[in-house]
mmCIF file of all heavy atoms in Angstrom:
data_model
loop_
_atom_site.group_PDB
_atom_site.id
_atom_site.type_symbol
_atom_site.label_atom_id
_atom_site.label_comp_id
_atom_site.label_asym_id
_atom_site.label_seq_id
_atom_site.Cartn_x
_atom_site.Cartn_y
_atom_site.Cartn_z
ATOM 1 N N MET A 1 -23.421 26.837 -20.367
ATOM 2 C CA MET A 1 -22.241 27.664 -20.061
ATOM 3 C C MET A 1 -22.475 29.120 -20.446
ATOM 4 O O MET A 1 -22.038 30.003 -19.790
ATOM 5 C CB MET A 1 -21.033 27.096 -20.867
ATOM 6 C CG MET A 1 -20.658 25.798 -20.448
ATOM 7 S SD MET A 1 -19.025 25.568 -19.701
ATOM 8 C CE MET A 1 -18.049 26.920 -20.002
ATOM 9 N N PHE A 33 -11.381 18.830 -9.579
ATOM 10 C CA PHE A 33 -11.664 17.430 -9.598
ATOM 11 C C PHE A 33 -11.853 16.884 -8.193
ATOM 12 O O PHE A 33 -12.793 16.085 -7.892
ATOM 13 C CB PHE A 33 -10.606 16.573 -10.240
ATOM 14 C CG PHE A 33 -10.737 16.377 -11.677
ATOM 15 C CD1 PHE A 33 -10.066 16.894 -12.747
ATOM 16 C CD2 PHE A 33 -11.854 15.457 -12.123
ATOM 17 C CE1 PHE A 33 -10.239 16.666 -14.017
ATOM 18 C CE2 PHE A 33 -12.070 15.216 -13.479
ATOM 19 C CZ PHE A 33 -11.266 15.830 -14.409
ATOM 20 N N GLY A 68 -21.834 5.764 -23.275
ATOM 21 C CA GLY A 68 -21.440 7.097 -23.229
ATOM 22 C C GLY A 68 -22.460 8.174 -23.074
ATOM 23 O O GLY A 68 -22.473 9.039 -22.331
ATOM 24 N N SER A 71 -24.441 9.142 -19.844
ATOM 25 C CA SER A 71 -23.864 9.916 -18.769
ATOM 26 C C SER A 71 -24.567 11.234 -18.520
ATOM 27 O O SER A 71 -24.721 11.752 -17.360
ATOM 28 C CB SER A 71 -22.517 10.245 -19.093
ATOM 29 O OG SER A 71 -22.374 11.037 -20.275
ATOM 30 N N GLU A 72 -25.208 11.761 -19.551
ATOM 31 C CA GLU A 72 -25.981 13.088 -19.435
ATOM 32 C C GLU A 72 -27.474 12.855 -19.478
ATOM 33 O O GLU A 72 -28.149 13.773 -19.453
ATOM 34 C CB GLU A 72 -25.477 14.021 -20.679
ATOM 35 C CG GLU A 72 -24.089 14.324 -20.605
ATOM 36 C CD GLU A 72 -23.497 15.013 -19.384
ATOM 37 O OE1 GLU A 72 -24.229 15.871 -18.787
ATOM 38 O OE2 GLU A 72 -22.383 14.659 -19.031
ATOM 39 N N THR A 86 -20.064 20.482 -10.232
ATOM 40 C CA THR A 86 -19.205 20.818 -11.364
ATOM 41 C C THR A 86 -18.816 22.350 -11.372
ATOM 42 O O THR A 86 -17.612 22.710 -11.694
ATOM 43 C CB THR A 86 -19.817 20.447 -12.711
ATOM 44 O OG1 THR A 86 -20.125 19.117 -12.705
ATOM 45 C CG2 THR A 86 -18.873 20.696 -13.803
ATOM 46 N N TRP A 101 -13.197 26.387 -19.647
ATOM 47 C CA TRP A 101 -13.458 25.536 -20.821
ATOM 48 C C TRP A 101 -12.768 24.061 -20.633
ATOM 49 O O TRP A 101 -13.371 23.108 -20.932
ATOM 50 C CB TRP A 101 -13.068 26.218 -22.140
ATOM 51 C CG TRP A 101 -14.011 27.248 -22.536
ATOM 52 C CD1 TRP A 101 -15.202 27.500 -22.068
ATOM 53 C CD2 TRP A 101 -13.839 28.289 -23.554
ATOM 54 N NE1 TRP A 101 -15.864 28.566 -22.776
ATOM 55 C CE2 TRP A 101 -14.878 28.984 -23.676
ATOM 56 C CE3 TRP A 101 -12.795 28.449 -24.395
ATOM 57 C CZ2 TRP A 101 -15.049 30.138 -24.527
ATOM 58 C CZ3 TRP A 101 -12.793 29.473 -25.375
ATOM 59 C CH2 TRP A 101 -14.041 30.339 -25.329
ATOM 60 N N LEU A 102 -11.472 24.206 -20.245
ATOM 61 C CA LEU A 102 -10.719 22.931 -20.100
ATOM 62 C C LEU A 102 -11.347 22.112 -19.072
ATOM 63 O O LEU A 102 -11.520 20.858 -19.261
ATOM 64 C CB LEU A 102 -9.258 23.235 -19.728
ATOM 65 C CG LEU A 102 -8.358 22.034 -19.494
ATOM 66 C CD1 LEU A 102 -8.249 21.119 -20.808
ATOM 67 C CD2 LEU A 102 -7.018 22.499 -19.070
ATOM 68 N N TRP A 103 -11.737 22.619 -18.055
ATOM 69 C CA TRP A 103 -12.311 21.961 -16.869
ATOM 70 C C TRP A 103 -13.630 21.301 -17.316
ATOM 71 O O TRP A 103 -13.921 20.131 -17.134
ATOM 72 C CB TRP A 103 -12.698 22.805 -15.682
ATOM 73 C CG TRP A 103 -13.703 22.355 -14.684
ATOM 74 C CD1 TRP A 103 -14.834 22.934 -14.356
ATOM 75 C CD2 TRP A 103 -13.570 21.093 -13.951
ATOM 76 N NE1 TRP A 103 -15.490 22.108 -13.475
ATOM 77 C CE2 TRP A 103 -14.741 20.959 -13.189
ATOM 78 C CE3 TRP A 103 -12.667 20.030 -13.872
ATOM 79 C CZ2 TRP A 103 -15.037 19.904 -12.388
ATOM 80 C CZ3 TRP A 103 -12.952 18.911 -13.042
ATOM 81 C CH2 TRP A 103 -14.144 18.941 -12.329
ATOM 82 N N MET A 104 -14.520 22.003 -17.990
ATOM 83 C CA MET A 104 -15.824 21.509 -18.440
ATOM 84 C C MET A 104 -15.588 20.263 -19.473
ATOM 85 O O MET A 104 -16.283 19.415 -19.461
ATOM 86 C CB MET A 104 -16.686 22.614 -19.068
ATOM 87 C CG MET A 104 -17.046 23.642 -18.134
ATOM 88 S SD MET A 104 -17.920 23.069 -16.618
ATOM 89 C CE MET A 104 -19.534 22.695 -17.336
ATOM 90 N N THR A 105 -14.624 20.531 -20.352
ATOM 91 C CA THR A 105 -14.306 19.545 -21.328
ATOM 92 C C THR A 105 -13.793 18.273 -20.619
ATOM 93 O O THR A 105 -14.254 17.126 -20.965
ATOM 94 C CB THR A 105 -13.216 19.999 -22.342
ATOM 95 O OG1 THR A 105 -13.727 21.172 -23.041
ATOM 96 C CG2 THR A 105 -12.847 18.886 -23.432
ATOM 97 N N LEU A 106 -12.819 18.337 -19.729
ATOM 98 C CA LEU A 106 -12.352 17.225 -18.971
ATOM 99 C C LEU A 106 -13.497 16.566 -18.106
ATOM 100 O O LEU A 106 -13.566 15.234 -18.086
ATOM 101 C CB LEU A 106 -11.176 17.594 -18.045
ATOM 102 C CG LEU A 106 -9.977 18.029 -18.758
ATOM 103 C CD1 LEU A 106 -8.938 18.518 -17.747
ATOM 104 C CD2 LEU A 106 -9.316 16.858 -19.549
ATOM 105 N N ARG A 107 -14.359 17.319 -17.650
ATOM 106 C CA ARG A 107 -15.439 16.734 -16.759
ATOM 107 C C ARG A 107 -16.390 15.934 -17.661
ATOM 108 O O ARG A 107 -16.821 14.815 -17.222
ATOM 109 C CB ARG A 107 -16.100 17.887 -16.047
ATOM 110 C CG ARG A 107 -17.258 17.473 -15.124
ATOM 111 C CD ARG A 107 -16.776 16.737 -13.970
ATOM 112 N NE ARG A 107 -17.818 16.047 -13.282
ATOM 113 C CZ ARG A 107 -18.280 14.810 -13.411
ATOM 114 N NH1 ARG A 107 -17.460 13.970 -14.099
ATOM 115 N NH2 ARG A 107 -19.201 14.356 -12.754
ATOM 116 N N VAL A 108 -16.803 16.482 -18.826
ATOM 117 C CA VAL A 108 -17.632 15.753 -19.765
ATOM 118 C C VAL A 108 -16.958 14.448 -20.266
ATOM 119 O O VAL A 108 -17.570 13.351 -20.217
ATOM 120 C CB VAL A 108 -18.123 16.647 -20.856
ATOM 121 C CG1 VAL A 108 -18.892 15.811 -21.950
ATOM 122 C CG2 VAL A 108 -19.091 17.602 -20.280
ATOM 123 N N LEU A 109 -15.685 14.605 -20.606
ATOM 124 C CA LEU A 109 -14.889 13.380 -21.081
ATOM 125 C C LEU A 109 -14.816 12.276 -19.981
ATOM 126 O O LEU A 109 -15.002 11.117 -20.264
ATOM 127 C CB LEU A 109 -13.576 13.781 -21.532
ATOM 128 C CG LEU A 109 -13.473 14.452 -22.839
ATOM 129 C CD1 LEU A 109 -12.108 14.987 -23.104
ATOM 130 C CD2 LEU A 109 -14.023 13.694 -23.941
ATOM 131 N N GLU A 110 -14.710 12.716 -18.710
ATOM 132 C CA GLU A 110 -14.607 11.741 -17.607
ATOM 133 C C GLU A 110 -15.854 11.081 -17.393
ATOM 134 O O GLU A 110 -15.933 9.867 -17.289
ATOM 135 C CB GLU A 110 -14.193 12.571 -16.338
ATOM 136 C CG GLU A 110 -14.038 11.607 -15.142
ATOM 137 C CD GLU A 110 -15.226 11.356 -14.429
ATOM 138 O OE1 GLU A 110 -16.150 12.164 -14.412
ATOM 139 O OE2 GLU A 110 -15.385 10.248 -13.945
ATOM 140 N N THR A 111 -17.013 11.764 -17.420
ATOM 141 C CA THR A 111 -18.315 11.160 -17.158
ATOM 142 C C THR A 111 -18.725 10.280 -18.350
ATOM 143 O O THR A 111 -19.294 9.345 -18.167
ATOM 144 C CB THR A 111 -19.318 12.274 -16.853
ATOM 145 O OG1 THR A 111 -20.503 11.578 -16.272
ATOM 146 C CG2 THR A 111 -19.808 13.084 -17.952
ATOM 147 N N VAL A 112 -18.307 10.681 -19.580
ATOM 148 C CA VAL A 112 -18.622 9.830 -20.669
ATOM 149 C C VAL A 112 -17.917 8.475 -20.566
ATOM 150 O O VAL A 112 -18.332 7.396 -20.842
ATOM 151 C CB VAL A 112 -18.511 10.563 -22.117
ATOM 152 C CG1 VAL A 112 -18.459 9.544 -23.221
ATOM 153 C CG2 VAL A 112 -19.445 11.660 -22.198
ATOM 154 N N GLU A 113 -16.614 8.659 -20.274
ATOM 155 C CA GLU A 113 -15.748 7.423 -20.017
ATOM 156 C C GLU A 113 -16.260 6.500 -18.963
ATOM 157 O O GLU A 113 -16.224 5.342 -19.094
ATOM 158 C CB GLU A 113 -14.274 7.904 -19.753
ATOM 159 C CG GLU A 113 -13.218 6.793 -19.853
ATOM 160 C CD GLU A 113 -12.960 6.085 -18.561
ATOM 161 O OE1 GLU A 113 -13.200 6.594 -17.464
ATOM 162 O OE2 GLU A 113 -12.523 4.942 -18.601
ATOM 163 N N ALA A 114 -16.679 7.120 -17.841
ATOM 164 C CA ALA A 114 -17.252 6.299 -16.759
ATOM 165 C C ALA A 114 -18.526 5.636 -17.157
ATOM 166 O O ALA A 114 -18.860 4.540 -16.570
ATOM 167 C CB ALA A 114 -17.430 7.242 -15.616
ATOM 168 N N HIS A 115 -19.171 6.109 -18.098
ATOM 169 C CA HIS A 115 -20.464 5.455 -18.561
ATOM 170 C C HIS A 115 -20.296 4.729 -19.765
ATOM 171 O O HIS A 115 -21.330 4.218 -20.338
ATOM 172 C CB HIS A 115 -21.509 6.544 -18.755
ATOM 173 C CG HIS A 115 -22.088 7.153 -17.412
ATOM 174 N ND1 HIS A 115 -21.439 8.070 -16.788
ATOM 175 C CD2 HIS A 115 -23.264 6.720 -16.676
ATOM 176 C CE1 HIS A 115 -22.071 8.326 -15.644
ATOM 177 N NE2 HIS A 115 -23.139 7.552 -15.574
#
Side-chain angles (χ1 to χ4, degrees):
M1 292 246 346
F33 267 112
S71 65
E72 301 301 321
T86 302
W101 284 347
L102 177 62
W103 162 239
M104 297 304 285
T105 301
L106 291 172
R107 183 66 191 100
V108 169
L109 288 173
E110 183 279 325
T111 193
V112 169
E113 191 270 336
H115 286 85

